[in-house]
Amino acid sequence: MMQGTRILVAEDDPVTVRFLQSLLEEHGFEVLVAEDGRHAYELATSGSPDLIISDLVMPYRDGFGLIRALRTLEELTRVPIIILSMKDREADIVRGLEEGADDYVVKPFNARELLARVRKQLDRPRS
Amino acid sequence: MQAALIYSILSVLLVFAGLTVLIILGKAWRESVEVYHRARRREIEPALLAYAHGEAVSAHPGLGGQVRFRDRNVVETVLLEFIQRVRGIERDRLGRAFDELGYVDSNLEQLRSARWWFRAEAAEKLGLSGARRATEHLASALNDEVPEVRIRAATALGKVGGRASVIPLIGALNEPNRWSTIRIADILTGMGTDVVHELVQSWDDLSHSGRLAAIDIFGRIRLLDAVPWLRQRLLDEHADIRARAAHALGAIAEPGSAGPLQDVLNDPEWPVRAMAAKALGRIRHRGSIPMLTACLRDREWWVRANAAESLRLIGPEGIEALIGMLDDQDNYARHQAVLMLGEAGEIDSWAEQLAVHDEVALDRIRRVIRSGQIGRLKELAMLHPDPAVRTRIRELLPEVAA
């Protein structure tokens, strides 16, 4: 089911990127990687991702700004976005969801839990 | 003479040349080691990640058998980097690999090193790896002669967790001269709810400063189970324990604590009254409005300020109570009520209504002026963007004063 499903990972920490890439590829996903917010925006608009996993603290454009910008684009309004961040304050989580994210996972993260959330988002009908 | 001078110059030049060559060689060596490590890392990382995600019993086969001596640092670094970024099964498996590949043993050995920076680093790595079997050694390192080693061992115990780690850290709370109580309290707070039970059990053995820190930890962990025990502390013989307990109960914000907190609004010590007033606001307890209103007449500024803030936090009914205090006999109470109504934006909002001749707003503005606290109104008379509002306030100020 997940073959050919493309996930964009927007994350500036190379160790986390490698971990996510290894995890997602092992489960059959195709992974695009952006190391900053600007690059993430470019890849999101040009790479047709099926789901986006985004950090909040990134160079050039933070995760909140990225999500806000992506949600204004018609072709990306229905693409699920999961925030993966070290920010665990209630205010950040609420803001992330209000900006347009579909889910929020706090780092350090549980890999199996993240995978389950990814699958759940991909399985949800997007009307 | 001339020959001696030439020889001296040549010797100096030779020394400089030798040093330059050594520096260049050193840099080249370091860079080549880094290149080697990067190359090895590219091979080692996928093997360790495959082990973390998979179900293999041992990490050895993926790494091609025993880890070569020259790869040991790379493997250790990779393991610790990934361990810090994940939780759950992956983290457990990486921690197990850290132990299986001999890094727990090697760091335990380093923990006994004669060089303090080796001991500090070893303590840190053992903490990151979450090695439970290092707990006892880390607890011993809390007595290290070097403060940096002690604090890293304490941090490591916080990461390892479990009862065996909590007990020595609670012991450290008793030694404020030897430890930074704030840092130990931070570590214990980060260990979560397990700590609460142990702190309650250790209460009788804690020093006074340890008890104060313990109550603060309860307030930060915010475990409901601790509430009955904290309410008991409101009756403690020491005022600072009572005050901190009130603060912690406010942080937990369990509505049932309102009654006991109302009782201590009459405490003879003002810090207890101030903290109880603050806590009732954090609980948003509407039933406490009459008592908090009475606290606006307290002889201590902190009690009055906290009571006013709490009335604001309670919402419209609390704001009404503050408005009711505008005509109070007590000058301090009137002052505090006006200050808080200003901070809440109420005075600005009444001033806005003057432009549309709102009678309620007009009455309230007149009461504020009669209270004698007209600082905000003077500002609005000069700076409000609406000229009609500015004019109306200017008209009212001398009118009421007269």
Side-chain angles (χ1 to χ4, degrees):
Chain A
M1 178 189 71
M2 299 303 169
Q3 289 296 329
T5 303
R6 190 177 290 178
I7 295 179
L8 168 61
V9 173
E11 168 68 64
D12 64 336
D13 172 34
V15 178
T16 304
V17 166
R18 291 199 292 274
F19 190 93
L20 285 172
Q21 199 164 9
S22 150
L23 177 76
L24 295 168
E25 284 177 355
E26 178 144 331
H27 287 83
F29 297 103
E30 185 185 335
V31 180
L32 302 171
V33 176
E35 69 284 358
D36 61 58
R38 197 162 56 191
H39 189 205
Y41 183 81
E42 286 165 12
L43 277 183
T45 50
S46 64
S48 309
D50 299 293
L51 182 141
I52 298 168
I53 297 175
S54 176
D55 190 7
L56 284 181
V57 182
M58 290 185 288
Y60 302 120
R61 179 180 254 169
D62 70 8
F64 293 128
L66 173 69
I67 295 167
R68 205 179 311 128
L70 295 179
R71 286 309 189 210
T72 62
L73 303 173
E74 199 177 341
E75 68 271 26
L76 290 170
T77 49
R78 288 173 195 156
V79 173
I81 300 177
I82 298 176
I83 293 175
L84 181 62
S85 172
M86 283 186 87
K87 288 176 178 258
D88 60 354
R89 290 185 318 156
E90 187 183 306
D92 292 314
I93 297 172
V94 170
R95 186 177 166 199
L97 297 172
E98 282 176 354
E99 294 284 5
D102 297 277
D103 205 348
Y104 197 111
V105 177
V106 176
K107 294 179 193 169
F109 60 98
N110 184 316
R112 281 160 174 78
E113 182 189 320
L114 179 68
L115 273 176
R117 289 173 187 269
V118 165
R119 289 200 179 102
K120 188 178 174 196
Q121 289 299 333
L122 291 169
D123 287 347
R124 281 172 66 176
R126 303 268 151 189
S127 52
Chain B
M1 180 67 189
Q2 199 176 5
L5 186 65
I6 289 168
Y7 279 130
S8 301
I9 292 168
L10 281 174
S11 305
V12 170
L13 285 175
L14 207 63
V15 168
F16 273 113
L19 282 173
T20 308
V21 169
L22 277 178
I23 289 167
I24 292 169
L25 284 176
K27 198 164 188 291
W29 168 252
R30 279 196 303 276
E31 279 181 9
S32 62
V33 168
E34 275 174 28
V35 169
Y36 172 78
H37 277 180
R38 276 199 296 273
R40 292 300 300 142
R41 193 185 172 110
R42 278 194 292 275
E43 285 185 33
I44 288 164
E45 222 175 61
L48 289 174
L49 285 173
Y51 168 77
H53 301 322
E55 289 173 2
V57 180
S58 166
H60 278 299
L63 291 167
Q66 287 295 323
V67 178
R68 285 183 296 180
F69 178 76
R70 57 187 178 170
D71 286 340
R72 285 196 63 78
N73 285 344
V74 182
V75 173
E76 186 182 42
T77 305
V78 170
L79 281 169
L80 290 175
E81 280 181 359
F82 285 129
I83 280 173
Q84 290 174 71
R85 283 162 176 82
V86 290
R87 286 190 291 122
I89 295 170
E90 262 83 358
R91 194 198 183 288
D92 291 346
R93 287 180 63 79
L94 289 164
R96 214 177 305 150
F98 192 83
D99 196 354
E100 185 198 9
L101 298 173
Y103 293 107
V104 172
D105 286 328
S106 62
N107 280 296
L108 285 175
E109 205 177 307
Q110 289 292 303
L111 206 54
R112 293 190 295 270
S113 168
R115 295 172 189 164
W116 72 263
W117 55 93
F118 282 178
R119 300 198 298 278
E121 196 178 304
E124 188 175 352
K125 287 177 180 173
L126 288 166
L128 289 174
S129 74
R132 283 281 165 109
R133 70 186 178 92
T135 306
E136 201 180 311
H137 304 268
L138 289 167
S140 301
L142 293 180
N143 298 315
D144 198 284
E145 64 197 39
V146 180
E148 181 64 24
V149 178
R150 292 204 298 270
I151 198 67
R152 288 214 208 175
T155 309
L157 283 170
K159 288 187 189 304
V160 171
R163 188 169 185 267
S165 296
V166 173
I167 305 264
L169 288 172
I170 289 176
L173 283 180
N174 273 337
E175 299 175 86
N177 298 330
R178 194 169 159 79
W179 291 95
S180 155
T181 308
I182 294 171
R183 288 189 72 175
I184 296 296
D186 280 345
I187 293 167
L188 282 165
T189 303
M191 295 174 85
T193 52
D194 292 347
V195 169
V196 173
H197 178 71
E198 294 301 334
L199 279 171
V200 169
Q201 293 295 312
S202 312
W203 181 256
D204 290 338
D205 303 323
L206 284 174
S207 64
H208 187 66
S209 62
R211 289 180 175 187
L212 293 176
I215 293 179
D216 285 346
I217 292 168
F218 288 148
R220 289 164 67 186
I221 293 179
R222 301 175 67 189
L223 182 68
L224 278 175
D225 292 355
V227 167
W229 185 87
L230 279 170
R231 287 184 198 153
Q232 292 281 315
R233 305 284 81 70
L234 291 175
L235 307 172
D236 196 280
E237 60 178 309
H238 297 284
D240 43 5
I241 299 268
R242 297 198 299 276
R244 301 259 185 140
H247 185 264
L249 285 168
I252 299 172
E254 201 276 312
S257 299
L261 285 166
Q262 286 171 3
D263 292 342
V264 290
L265 284 176
N266 296 314
D267 195 282
E269 299 292 334
W270 71 262
V272 184
R273 299 198 300 276
M275 286 301 113
K278 186 176 179 179
L280 286 165
R282 295 179 84 172
I283 296 176
R284 311 280 200 277
H285 190 254
R286 286 202 294 271
S288 299
I289 289 176
M291 289 76 118
L292 288 168
T293 308
C295 284
L296 292 178
R297 300 186 193 106
D298 196 283
R299 60 189 175 278
E300 288 294 335
W301 181 85
W302 274 110
V303 182
R304 297 196 298 273
N306 283 358
E309 170 72 16
S310 288
L311 286 168
R312 183 176 75 84
L313 286 174
I314 287 172
E317 291 171 49
I319 294 288
E320 277 304 319
L322 286 167
I323 293 169
M325 293 302 280
L326 289 175
D327 307 310
D328 198 80
Q329 296 290 314
D330 188 303
N331 190 30
Y332 291 118
R334 289 200 308 273
H335 183 198
Q336 202 61 58
V338 173
L339 273 182
M340 192 46 62
L341 288 166
E343 228 171 89
E346 294 292 325
I347 294 177
D348 288 36
S349 126
W350 301 335
E352 294 280 342
Q353 298 300 311
L354 289 179
V356 292
H357 303 286
D358 183 299
E359 286 301 318
V360 175
L362 179 64
D363 174 60
R364 286 177 177 174
I365 291 285
R366 282 182 168 142
R367 288 165 68 191
V368 170
I369 295 171
R370 273 198 297 271
S371 79
Q373 309 296 328
I374 55 172
R376 182 61 189 155
L377 285 175
K378 278 183 170 173
E379 281 173 16
L380 290 169
M382 288 197 299
L383 303 170
H384 197 281
D386 185 342
V389 171
R390 290 203 302 270
T391 309
R392 194 72 190 101
I393 296 174
R394 282 187 198 134
E395 286 167 2
L396 284 168
L397 280 172
E399 175 194 314
V400 179

